[in-house]
Amino acid sequence: FNRRITGNTPMKISGPAAGHEMMKTAADPTGMNVLGTLNNCAHGYTPWGTYLTCEENWNGYFSNETGTVEGYEDLDRKFIITKGQTRYGVVKGGFGYRWHEVDERFRADLNSNEPHRFGWVVEIDPWNPNNTPIKRTALGRTKHEGAQLVVDKNDRVAFYMGDDERNEYVYKFICANKLNRKNRAANRDMLDHGTLYVAKFNADGTGVWMPLVWNQNGLTVANGFKDQADVLVRCRQAADRLGATMMD
């Protein structure tokens, strides 16, 4: 069953951000397919027997050579120009890996949506070497450090995730459907449907999980979030808006 998965392995994009304008590139006008997974750190697994690999410091492979990145259109159909992509650490030169010198898709100033296609949890079926890995966008775009699960006595499934950078947040994803212990195939798309939450901790030791759901808790058009895909692609900014607790 051994296989090698690289930064050029074809992968699918699934979940709410699949096919969204923020995920489309000249090489992939559908916004449904991406090459590779990068800088994978701690992992996870699922009760239905698949492996979760987490894209952590993927930003280091990109370079923003000009200091400006073309953004997507706003509601008035005007083109936004945003300085850098500093909220996710996309800066000139990246980590010095120099990939942008030999492959223009890592030039964030030329391909502004390509960075949106990294920072996800990727599900791989180790039992099928011909399976196409899937980037599960419902779990949000961050610098993922692990995706560990809990299954309760009623077969509800939750995944807990950290965003591994100073002053970032803790997340959980609760699947909409219950685990089917008798039919592995029935769980195939569990990670496409559910609710993503970010944690807020209080000084007295209590806390609350806040849902990252469009049109709730200030994640509205008026505050710059166009739809649920936008919330997930700009997961850090959405968590900022909710006032989540920064980790040290």
Side-chain angles (χ1 to χ4, degrees):
F1 295 106
N2 286 353
R3 67 186 297 191
R4 183 169 184 254
I5 292 173
T6 76
N8 279 320
T9 300
M11 301 192 174
K12 297 177 183 177
I13 300 168
S14 73
H20 192 269
E21 289 301 316
M22 297 174 75
M23 301 291 278
K24 295 179 180 179
T25 65
D28 173 31
T30 68
M32 299 292 290
N33 303 284
V34 62
L35 292 179
T37 183
L38 300 174
N39 216 104
N40 312 78
C41 202
H43 67 284
Y45 62 92
T46 70
W48 48 93
T50 57
Y51 181 88
L52 303 176
T53 185
C54 301
E55 298 181 326
E56 191 196 12
N57 294 313
W58 52 270
N59 59 298
Y61 293 79
F62 288 88
S63 180
N64 181 350
E65 290 294 284
T66 65
T68 60
V69 173
E70 291 183 344
Y72 57 94
E73 291 178 336
D74 66 14
L75 296 177
D76 296 323
R77 312 305 293 174
K78 297 176 181 177
F79 218 50
I80 300 171
I81 303 297
T82 57
K83 291 292 183 182
Q85 288 184 341
T86 54
R87 188 66 183 86
Y88 281 86
V90 177
V91 296
K92 186 173 182 177
F95 289 172
Y97 297 153
R98 303 176 65 185
W99 284 29
H100 65 282
E101 296 181 15
V102 296
D103 189 343
E104 281 195 350
R105 77 181 173 112
F106 296 103
R107 283 279 302 271
D109 49 319
L110 301 179
N111 298 288
S112 58
N113 279 350
E114 190 68 30
H116 297 160
R117 293 145 66 85
F118 293 88
W120 305 104
V121 173
V122 184
E123 185 173 14
I124 301 169
D125 185 353
W127 303 105
N128 180 3
N130 298 315
N131 174 261
T132 302
I134 302 174
K135 298 199 177 191
R136 300 291 188 182
T137 64
L139 277 68
R141 174 174 166 262
T142 67
K143 296 180 183 178
H144 282 284
E145 177 76 63
Q148 296 299 314
L149 79 143
V150 172
V151 181
D152 74 5
K153 62 183 180 181
N154 295 315
D155 287 333
R156 295 177 299 185
V157 183
F159 290 86
Y160 294 81
M161 302 168 287
D163 186 350
D164 195 10
E165 188 170 14
R166 187 178 293 109
N167 296 330
E168 293 302 338
Y169 308 121
V170 176
Y171 298 87
K172 76 171 177 179
F173 179 81
I174 298 181
C175 298
N177 299 321
K178 292 184 177 182
L179 175 66
N180 188 328
R181 296 181 182 273
K182 297 181 179 180
N183 182 0
R184 178 173 180 259
N187 303 306
R188 179 65 63 190
D189 295 321
M190 286 272 282
L191 296 181
D192 283 344
H193 307 285
T195 303
L196 182 66
Y197 298 82
V198 65
K200 182 176 183 178
F201 300 106
N202 303 314
D204 64 0
T206 62
V208 62
W209 289 104
M210 302 180 293
L212 289 161
V213 176
W214 184 67
N215 242 5
Q216 296 182 21
N217 299 319
L219 301 178
T220 61
V221 170
N223 288 324
F225 293 95
K226 298 171 66 175
D227 48 33
Q228 183 62 22
D230 192 0
V231 169
L232 295 168
V233 171
R234 297 192 295 134
C235 187
R236 284 183 166 182
Q237 292 95 321
D240 292 343
R241 167 65 60 176
L242 267 60
T245 301
M246 294 179 180
M247 300 288 100
D248 63 4

